[in-house]
Amino acid sequence: MNTAILQTTYFGPIQWYQKLHRFDHCIIEQHDSYQKQTYRNRCLIATANGVQALTVPVEHNNDRMLVKDLRISDHNQWRRIHWNALQSAYSESPFFEYYADDIRPFFEKRYDFLVDFNEAIRETVCKLIDIQPQTEYTSAYNSQWQESADYRDVIHAKHPLPDNDFEAKPYWQVFQHKHGFLANLSILDLLFCMGPESVFYL
């Protein structure tokens, strides 16, 4: 059985969901230390002005705080801001209205912990894409996983590492005429633009 280990993500990038789809088994890390500017609590979407990062504010005292202990902050009405940004970016996409009722509740319900929020998102997105990954969470931190493909540092928002198994092939995007094709955005970009065909892209 081939296994991948991944970070937890907030509406993670297409590359992340590709691993969920292609590996027999995925382990999601929750015992690593929190780092800023990662996909753990941010996603990237395509807007009229280019790529925009949407970041979930979290409460953390220091950089050694474990991801599993991160609480979501209610700072700055971020839920309303994120949903408005998605509406603005994707209202003209072919499948936004089709999936809006499944996605909107994540910006209405309050979750205490980031990993619980991300897991609820993952379960919903997998159902919408029609993939059934076998997943589990780490019970402790391990810097090296034997016989597992470790993508924890490979799939990174700011400093991604090479991934020979992922090729960001173009698909239709709302603002492609302005910015060209924008690769490896949030899974929401693929879902709203490609709908049921998303699984074939993965």
Side-chain angles (χ1 to χ4, degrees), residues 184-195:
N184 202 27
L185 298 177
S186 167
I187 191 65
L188 289 177
D189 188 83
L190 182 67
L191 192 65
F192 291 148
C193 292
M194 298 296 290

Side-chain angles (χ1 to χ4, degrees), residues 36-55:
K36 296 180 179 179
Q37 299 186 336
T38 69
Y39 290 124
R40 294 176 181 89
N41 64 321
R42 71 162 46 189
C43 68
L44 302 178
I45 64 171
T47 74
N49 297 318
V51 177
Q52 178 181 348
L54 302 178
T55 303

Side-chain angles (χ1 to χ4, degrees), residues 46-112:
T47 74
N49 297 318
V51 177
Q52 178 181 348
L54 302 178
T55 303
V56 177
V58 293
E59 299 174 357
H60 62 100
N61 300 323
N62 56 66
D63 291 337
R64 294 180 181 177
M65 191 167 187
L66 298 184
V67 170
K68 73 178 184 67
D69 297 325
L70 284 176
R71 288 183 175 271
I72 296 173
S73 171
D74 288 328
H75 189 62
N76 283 348
Q77 296 185 315
W78 67 268
R79 294 177 182 84
R80 179 178 60 82
I81 292 170
H82 286 205
W83 180 243
N84 288 346
L86 290 174
Q87 286 181 300
S88 176
Y90 296 109
S91 61
E92 299 300 318
S93 67
F95 296 97
F96 179 78
E97 289 189 9
Y98 186 78
Y99 294 116
D101 288 345
D102 295 293
I103 302 301
R104 186 190 302 110
F106 292 111
F107 304 98
E108 297 172 341
K109 180 180 177 180
R110 294 178 184 272
Y111 289 79
D112 290 329

Side-chain angles (χ1 to χ4, degrees), residues 10-183:
Y10 169 60
F11 288 112
I14 294 166
Q15 181 186 15
W16 193 86
Y17 278 89
Q18 182 219 40
K19 306 311 176 194
L20 282 186
H21 182 46
R22 294 192 179 184
F23 279 81
D24 298 326
H25 182 230
C26 290
I27 302 170
I28 300 177
E29 179 67 78
Q30 62 175 356
H31 285 81
D32 52 343
S33 298
Y34 171 68
Q35 299 174 28
K36 296 180 179 179
Q37 299 186 336
T38 69
Y39 290 124
R40 294 176 181 89
N41 64 321
R42 71 162 46 189
C43 68
L44 302 178
I45 64 171
T47 74
N49 297 318
V51 177
Q52 178 181 348
L54 302 178
T55 303
V56 177
V58 293
E59 299 174 357
H60 62 100
N61 300 323
N62 56 66
D63 291 337
R64 294 180 181 177
M65 191 167 187
L66 298 184
V67 170
K68 73 178 184 67
D69 297 325
L70 284 176
R71 288 183 175 271
I72 296 173
S73 171
D74 288 328
H75 189 62
N76 283 348
Q77 296 185 315
W78 67 268
R79 294 177 182 84
R80 179 178 60 82
I81 292 170
H82 286 205
W83 180 243
N84 288 346
L86 290 174
Q87 286 181 300
S88 176
Y90 296 109
S91 61
E92 299 300 318
S93 67
F95 296 97
F96 179 78
E97 289 189 9
Y98 186 78
Y99 294 116
D101 288 345
D102 295 293
I103 302 301
R104 186 190 302 110
F106 292 111
F107 304 98
E108 297 172 341
K109 180 180 177 180
R110 294 178 184 272
Y111 289 79
D112 290 329
F113 291 94
L114 181 68
V115 292
D116 296 335
F117 183 47
N118 287 351
E119 176 63 8
I121 288 171
R122 184 197 66 76
E123 289 179 351
T124 294
V125 169
C126 286
K127 289 177 183 176
L128 297 179
I129 298 174
D130 195 21
I131 62 175
Q132 296 85 32
Q134 181 183 348
T135 60
E136 66 173 296
Y137 276 90
T138 58
S139 57
Y141 182 74
N142 189 341
S143 61
Q144 294 183 325
W145 285 80
Q146 300 296 324
E147 301 179 4
S148 298
D150 191 344
Y151 291 101
R152 288 175 294 182
D153 293 324
V154 174
I155 304 175
H156 195 286
K158 287 293 184 180
H159 307 289
L161 297 178
D163 179 3
N164 294 329
D165 294 323
F166 177 72
E167 180 182 355
K169 295 180 179 180
Y171 56 88
W172 182 88
Q173 292 177 322
V174 179
F175 300 105
Q176 191 165 350
H177 62 287
K178 293 186 66 175
H179 308 296
F181 176 70
L182 300 173

